[in-house]
């Protein structure tokens, strides 16, 4: 998602989500018992050690095994998919948190197009992997709608033009009458439909990916936080509570759940919380809300995002904040947002609510590349990370296994400081400011 200009907190400064806030629909709806990977005990050696079992780490590890590098070990401090990757909205679409206009301006047409194309290729790669590895992840090939909260069409028209002219991507125009036939809310005007996008159950996908990668030779250790990283001869030594690893190469991919291994790496991102809730099954009532299976988000800076689930529940997400919130607070906040769009759902029961941390860099682009000899980084995917983490996994796997220099294309978006703690205040203020501007614009439109 384009949680564009906001960003937030470090381990020390940030109240990590309480265990309750991980009470997610995704966990509750895992169809099979998840394979457990034993914590690391003792010493071992490996060619590549990947730290972090979210999509960035999993995709890098899987990409390595696909390229014949089977001596790969992945450490996860909790369980696979514990972070943003196992809690997100499940939208799988191209692009980065950084807008396409900014990319064009900063990189020029051909480099911007090449980077964007990496994310649309990643959407296709996810599709292929789901099919090839037979991952059951409630995939819904129904596209994504960007619904206009405002009457003013220009923002949508301009984005549609920009995507077509510079990125070769066709988002289809959805006139207000058509949109309202699909989504029964008077809040929206026109929309853009992204047919190549889809949505899925991200935790099932993370687990499927982990299973496929272990079948191909990857070793995973869960409940194994990396607690120290230091040089050792030509490689690296990683310490864990009960073990030690000597690795030729290391990949840091810890997202907003900062690893505490390298100061500059943690300082480079703001962890920002965002919230999700899931209703009770709506049954036939779903048709009062929507008659499309597309996933939907709107055109405000602080947008809502939602999608129908296979069991007729509605998954609803939104808000970004530097504050973590309890599941009850998340429910209260998001329920109000839900009723603004679908008043017909008044009284609906909310069965699940949780929060997750995204990692944002100041430049709103992922930080991907080599930061020291044999030390690689993939973080700062923000709120738009499912496809970009897959892209990053390919870039890093081909760099490590084959010496591919493509990672240097991300050099413009380096490891700059996120200016914590002042950045938290700036992030929250800029979020509120953008939210206020949206409210003002909507108010002006309705009062004219
Ligand atoms: C609520 C929410 C909704 C979102 N919705 C969408 C969406 O619909 N579509 C989309 O494209 N993107 C979405 N995003 C963003 C997307 O989920 C992220 O950008 C992406 O998952 C980031 O993946 P990651 O691997 O970098 O981080 P994470 O998935 O957070 O993984 C990092 C992992 O590292 C582990 N770790 C941390 N420190 C250590 C350590 N020292 N040792 C070992 N392990 C460690 C953590 O436990 C964690 O599992 C959303 C994010 C959130 C939070």
């Amino acid at each position: 998602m384009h949680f564009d200009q906001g960003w937030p907190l470090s381990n020390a400064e940030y109240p990590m989500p309480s265990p309750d806030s991980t009470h997610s629909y995704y966990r509750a709806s895992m169809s099979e018992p998840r394979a457990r990977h034993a914590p690391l005990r003792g010493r071992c050696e490996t060619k590549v050690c990947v730290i972090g079992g979210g999509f960035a780490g999993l995709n890098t590890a899987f990409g390595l095994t696909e390229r014949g590098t089977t001596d790969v070990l992945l450490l996860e401090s909790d369980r696979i998919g514990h972070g943003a990757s196992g809690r997100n909205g499940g939208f799988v679409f191209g692009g980065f948190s950084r807008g396409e206009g900014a990319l064009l301006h900063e990189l020029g047409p051909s480099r911007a197009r090449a980077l964007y194309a990496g994310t649309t290729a990643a959407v296709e790669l996810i599709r292929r992997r789901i099919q090839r590895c037979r991952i059951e992840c409630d995939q819904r090939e129904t596209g994504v709608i960007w619904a206009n909260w405002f009457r003013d069409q220009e923002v949508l028209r301009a984005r549609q033009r920009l995507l077509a002219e510079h990125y070769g991507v066709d988002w289809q125009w959805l006139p207000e009458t058509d949109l309202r036939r699909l989504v029964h809310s008077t809040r929206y005007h026109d929309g853009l439909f992204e047919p190549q996008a889809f949505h899925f159950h991200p935790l099932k996908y993370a687990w499927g990916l982990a299973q496929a990668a272990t079948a191909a030779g990857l070793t995973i250790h869960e409940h194994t936080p990396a607690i120290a990283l230091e040089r050792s001869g030509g490689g690296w030594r990683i310490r864990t509570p009960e073990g030690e690893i000597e690795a030729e190469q290391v990949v840091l991919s810890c997202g907003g759940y900062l690893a505490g291994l390298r100061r500059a790496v943690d300082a480079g991102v703001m962890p920002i919380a965002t919230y999700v809730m899931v209703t009770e099954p709506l049954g036939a009532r779903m048709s009062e809300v929507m008659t499309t299976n597309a996933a939907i988000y709107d055109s405000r800076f602080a947008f809502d995002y939602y999608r129908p689930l296979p069991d007729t529940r509605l998954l609803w997400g939104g808000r970004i904040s530097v504050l973590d919130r309890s599941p009850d607070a998340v429910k209260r906040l998001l329920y109000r947002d839900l009723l603004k769009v679908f008043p017909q759902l008044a009284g609906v029961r909310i069965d699940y609510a949780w929060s997750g941390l995204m990692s944002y860099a100041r430049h709103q682009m992922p930080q991907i590349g080599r930061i020291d000899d044999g030390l690689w980084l993939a973080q700062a995917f923000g709120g738009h990370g499912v496809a970009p983490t897959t892209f990053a996994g390919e870039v890093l796997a081909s760099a490590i296994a084959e010496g591919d220099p493509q990672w240097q294309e991300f050099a413009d978006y380096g490891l700059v400081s996120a200016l914590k703690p002042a950045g938290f205040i700036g992030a929250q203020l800029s979020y509120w400011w953008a939210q206020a501007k949206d409210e003002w614009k909507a108010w002006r439109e309705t009062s004219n």
Side-chain angles (χ1 to χ4, degrees):
M1 345 240 42
H2 291 272
F3 291 117
D4 276 343
Q5 286 116 31
W7 53 84
L9 310 177
S10 92
N11 261 352
E13 297 137 347
Y14 190 75
M16 300 295 285
S18 61
D20 272 348
S21 63
T22 65
H23 178 63
S24 81
Y25 165 82
Y26 294 135
R27 280 186 170 202
S29 59
M30 290 297 291
S31 40
E32 294 164 20
R34 295 184 280 163
R36 291 186 176 273
H37 301 277
L40 176 71
R41 297 209 167 88
R43 290 194 76 249
C44 66
E45 289 179 9
T46 185
K47 197 169 167 62
V48 186
C49 178
V50 177
I51 303 177
F55 286 146
L58 285 169
N59 280 301
T60 307
F62 193 40
L64 283 164
T65 61
E66 285 187 319
R67 286 167 178 78
T69 310
T70 49
D71 190 7
V72 184
L73 191 146
L74 185 147
L75 304 180
E76 165 54 50
S77 58
D78 194 278
R79 298 209 64 195
I80 292 294
H82 162 77
S85 302
R87 304 167 187 234
N88 64 54
F91 288 48
V92 186
F93 46 14
F96 297 96
S97 282
R98 187 103 182 114
E100 300 89 18
L103 277 187
L104 195 64
H105 176 70
E106 287 154 9
L107 301 176
S110 84
R111 288 184 61 213
R113 189 177 172 122
L115 280 195
Y116 190 93
T119 65
T120 48
V123 173
E124 292 311 316
L125 180 59
I126 297 169
R127 272 198 180 95
R128 283 201 304 280
R129 283 180 172 165
I130 290 173
Q131 210 176 24
R132 186 162 51 83
C133 306
R134 296 200 171 83
I135 302 175
E136 296 285 336
C137 56
D138 305 342
Q139 179 186 8
R140 300 193 108 175
E141 286 291 347
T142 44
V144 167
I145 294 171
W146 192 41
N148 197 1
W149 190 266
F150 305 104
R151 242 186 249 140
D152 173 17
Q153 296 184 343
E154 192 38 37
V155 175
L156 272 72
R157 293 273 183 209
R159 190 162 183 205
Q160 189 188 32
R161 270 195 309 269
L162 183 87
L163 284 168
E165 279 168 28
H166 294 285
Y167 293 94
V169 173
D170 177 30
W171 283 16
Q172 298 156 8
W173 189 259
L174 254 182
E176 181 178 294
T177 42
D178 293 0
L179 178 62
R180 289 192 182 179
R181 248 197 308 273
L182 300 172
V183 184
H184 307 155
S185 174
T186 53
R187 282 282 162 178
Y188 303 129
H189 300 281
D190 311 284
L192 286 177
F193 178 59
E194 188 182 350
Q196 300 84 2
F198 65 96
H199 54 106
F200 70 176
H201 187 305
L203 188 59
K204 286 186 182 173
Y205 179 67
W207 275 80
L209 210 53
Q211 206 173 2
T214 46
L218 171 70
T219 304
I220 296 178
H221 292 290
E222 294 180 307
H223 298 297
T224 305
I227 51 174
L229 172 72
E230 61 211 21
R231 273 245 161 252
S232 171
W236 295 92
R237 180 178 302 125
I238 302 107
R239 277 194 276 119
T240 69
E242 297 175 85
E244 204 171 272
I245 302 145
E246 295 286 336
E248 288 173 28
Q249 317 238 12
V250 173
V251 179
L252 298 175
S253 48
C254 297
Y257 296 78
L258 311 176
L261 297 171
R262 278 226 152 179
R263 183 179 284 271
V265 169
D266 288 0
V269 288
M270 292 273 192
I272 296 269
T274 175
Y275 313 123
V276 182
M277 69 176 188
V278 170
T279 67
E280 63 181 317
L282 298 179
R285 220 173 152 190
M286 179 60 95
S287 61
E288 291 171 24
V289 174
M290 56 205 285
T291 40
T292 171
N293 283 325
I296 292 154
Y297 65 113
D298 72 67
S299 59
R300 286 167 305 163
F301 176 87
F303 57 86
D304 307 318
Y305 55 96
Y306 53 95
R307 61 191 187 91
L309 299 175
D311 56 2
T312 76
R313 296 172 189 272
L314 189 67
L315 177 145
W316 183 277
R319 308 262 172 164
I320 62 170
S321 175
V322 297
L323 290 179
D324 187 25
R325 285 189 163 90
S326 69
D328 281 342
V330 169
K331 273 186 202 175
R332 275 196 302 277
L333 206 60
L334 294 189
Y335 182 69
R336 279 208 305 266
D337 294 345
L338 170 75
L339 292 194
K340 279 185 202 152
V341 178
F342 297 123
Q344 60 271 49
L345 283 184
V348 75
R349 197 181 69 231
I350 306 301
D351 282 348
Y352 303 93
W354 66 92
S355 65
L357 292 177
M358 310 172 286
S359 64
Y360 273 91
R362 244 167 62 214
H363 46 58
Q364 300 155 25
M365 276 293 278
Q367 295 163 328
I368 299 170
R370 191 170 59 208
I371 53 169
D372 201 340
D373 272 355
L375 185 61
W376 302 85
L377 179 67
Q379 68 176 10
F381 294 93
H384 201 127
V386 177
T389 48
T390 307
F391 180 24
E394 287 296 281
V395 168
L396 290 191
S398 63
I400 295 168
E402 297 155 358
D404 185 342
Q406 195 193 3
W407 62 270
Q408 290 166 7
E409 285 301 313
F410 287 89
D412 297 68
Y413 302 107
L415 200 50
V416 290
S417 166
L419 303 178
K420 292 178 279 190
F424 293 130
I425 299 164
Q428 191 67 67
L429 289 177
S430 68
Y431 177 73
W432 283 334
W433 171 239
Q435 204 176 22
K437 274 199 311 194
D438 279 348
E439 276 166 19
W440 169 246
K441 183 172 173 178
W443 179 80
R444 271 190 32 208
E445 283 188 347
T446 46
S447 51
N448 279 336

